[in-house]
Amino acid sequence: MPRIDNDIKLDFKDVLLRPKRSTLKSRSQVNLNRHIVFRNSKQTYEGVPVIAANMDTTGTFEMAKTFASHGMFVAVHKHYGTEDWANFAKENPSCLNNVAISSGTSDADFERISATIKLVPEIKYICLDVANGYSEYFVEYVKKVRHAFPQHTIFAGNVVTGEMVEELILAGADVIKVGIGPGSVCTTRKKTGVGYPQVSAVIECADAAHGLGGHIISDGGCSCPGDVAKAFGAGADFVMIGGLFAGHDQSGGETIEREGKKYKLFYGMSSTTAMQKHVGGVAEYRASEGKTVEVPYRGDVNDTVRDILGGIRSTCTYVGASKLKELGRRTTFIRVTQQINNMYGS
């Protein structure tokens, strides 16, 4: 019989952070760097834990070069070949500390990442990315990758519940991607009716992960810098972003000019556009679970990065967190029915 969970679950639009007394005099006093030791790989990470999503419109080598100057991270999309990685590593060796190679769960995916890591052993991070992280096959694939790469840090997902976070960590993953359906170009919730409000998912999954010494990524749903800050406040160790990083010089996607204005294509990796591009079309047994949009051209991504990081620093000053790591401990969410005044637009 179906059952109903009557506990209220909250999304970014449902909450605001309550300000608290602070001793900070300036946003410049806030340290956004995190020092993280991963549970299974035993590797350490030092940097600003904001990640460009592993979509071919955002998880690009060009984005990685720019993000390196900010200490930020890029999950590089899985459609680069082994030689592409070799050339990138040769020309940008310092970037390899802040990038992950992405993989699906096919035999071809495993062979590709194995060949790439053999050729570029400096790669430290592997991002195992599927829409549905609840399958037994995915758990077994995580175990397979952990066995093959015992010293690499593994990101794995996506899931939205604590018990699956625990299972994937125990299977060998270090960092679990949390989020089903919140992305700006994801239509999973419309097509399947499956999902979980992101703030509640992050709170519950972070609690499960941290109890085992693991970590989580809040993946999707951030439409502004305030949402990124809320994700960190809810307990996320990393925040992965797609839409906010689309439309820039460093972004992938076709550039379109119309009536004197420039746009760049941005699409979900389960969209018809992506599947037509990479696998020749949508398989007859499934539906497209992503959409394609034209994002107004935004120029250099550095401006957007500064806006996001500046917003997080400001959040920290409002709640008295001198370090990003302290933000979760200083966060009290309040439920709201309205966040902003839309008199003159958003």
Side-chain angles (χ1 to χ4, degrees):
M1 290 289 293
R3 61 181 295 274
I4 296 177
D5 183 348
N6 286 307
D7 291 342
I8 293 172
K9 305 300 179 184
L10 302 172
D11 220 327
F12 293 129
K13 65 180 177 58
D14 300 317
V15 297
L16 289 169
L17 288 91
R18 191 179 78 181
K20 297 180 179 178
R21 182 181 298 157
S22 173
T23 59
L24 297 171
K25 296 179 181 179
S26 167
R27 296 171 180 84
S28 64
Q29 293 179 282
V30 176
N31 182 1
L32 297 183
N33 271 32
R34 284 289 308 272
H35 176 82
I36 295 173
V37 179
F38 297 110
R39 179 189 191 271
N40 294 315
S41 72
K42 309 305 180 186
Q43 287 188 359
T44 60
Y45 169 80
E46 190 83 41
V48 178
V50 174
I51 306 176
N54 53 313
M55 309 163 80
D56 65 10
T57 45
T58 56
T60 65
F61 286 147
E62 291 74 22
M63 199 73 79
K65 296 172 191 176
T66 300
F67 274 32
S69 65
H70 298 278
M72 293 164 59
F73 203 95
V74 175
V76 177
H77 69 74
K78 71 176 187 178
H79 301 290
Y80 285 118
T82 297
E83 289 302 320
D84 297 322
W85 271 99
N87 292 333
F88 173 73
K90 182 178 179 181
E91 297 171 5
N92 306 277
S94 63
C95 293
L96 294 175
N97 292 323
N98 294 79
V99 296
I101 184 171
S102 297
S103 171
T105 57
S106 69
D107 290 340
D109 284 321
F110 184 79
E111 291 171 6
R112 179 182 55 84
I113 63 169
S114 298
T116 302
I117 292 173
K118 183 177 180 179
L119 188 62
V120 189
E122 297 85 358
I123 296 172
K124 299 179 179 180
Y125 300 91
I126 301 170
C127 180
L128 305 181
D129 180 59
V130 296
N132 178 8
Y134 284 81
S135 71
E136 187 174 322
Y137 178 79
F138 184 60
V139 176
E140 293 303 314
Y141 188 76
V142 171
K143 292 179 181 178
K144 176 181 178 179
V145 174
R146 170 53 64 205
H147 178 75
F149 305 102
Q151 295 181 325
H152 283 70
T153 298
I154 298 174
F155 302 165
N158 283 41
V159 300
V160 288
T161 51
E163 66 271 15
M164 205 63 205
V165 166
E166 292 170 344
E167 184 163 356
L168 289 172
I169 289 173
L170 293 174
D174 295 286
V175 190
I176 309 304
K177 292 174 69 205
V178 174
I180 292 179
S184 58
V185 287
C186 179
T187 60
T188 294
R189 293 178 183 179
K190 283 188 176 182
K191 292 294 179 73
T192 70
V194 175
Y196 211 99
Q198 192 68 1
V199 168
S200 291
V202 170
I203 290 172
E204 295 171 26
C205 290
D207 182 56
H210 296 162
L212 289 175
H215 298 85
I216 70 161
I217 298 168
S218 174
D219 180 14
C222 293
S223 62
C224 59
D227 290 344
V228 182
K230 291 174 189 177
F232 282 123
D237 302 287
F238 296 83
V239 178
M240 181 173 279
I241 299 170
L244 289 176
F245 293 141
H248 296 90
D249 293 327
Q250 296 86 346
S251 307
E254 180 185 351
T255 300
I256 299 168
E257 290 196 33
R258 184 182 299 113
E259 298 178 356
K261 295 183 179 179
K262 293 172 67 176
Y263 303 85
K264 295 195 79 167
L265 285 187
F266 177 54
Y267 45 84
M269 295 310 291
S270 291
S271 67
T272 301
T273 301
M275 287 189 281
Q276 186 69 48
K277 179 178 179 180
H278 297 297
V279 296
V282 182
E284 62 180 22
Y285 58 81
R286 62 167 299 174
S288 164
E289 291 181 26
K291 60 185 176 182
T292 302
V293 298
E294 295 179 5
V295 178
Y297 171 67
R298 298 175 179 172
D300 193 328
V301 76
N302 279 296
D303 295 332
T304 297
V305 166
R306 283 188 283 267
D307 188 50
I308 292 171
L309 299 187
I312 300 170
R313 288 191 187 94
S314 191
T315 301
C316 289
T317 63
Y318 272 108
V319 301
S322 61
K323 299 178 181 179
L324 182 60
K325 185 178 181 179
E326 298 174 1
L327 181 54
R329 295 196 295 268
R330 298 285 299 177
T331 291
T332 299
F333 285 121
I334 54 174
R335 289 183 60 196
V336 298
T337 57
Q338 179 176 323
Q339 289 198 43
I340 56 176
N341 184 334
N342 285 317
M343 181 174 179
Y344 297 112
S346 58

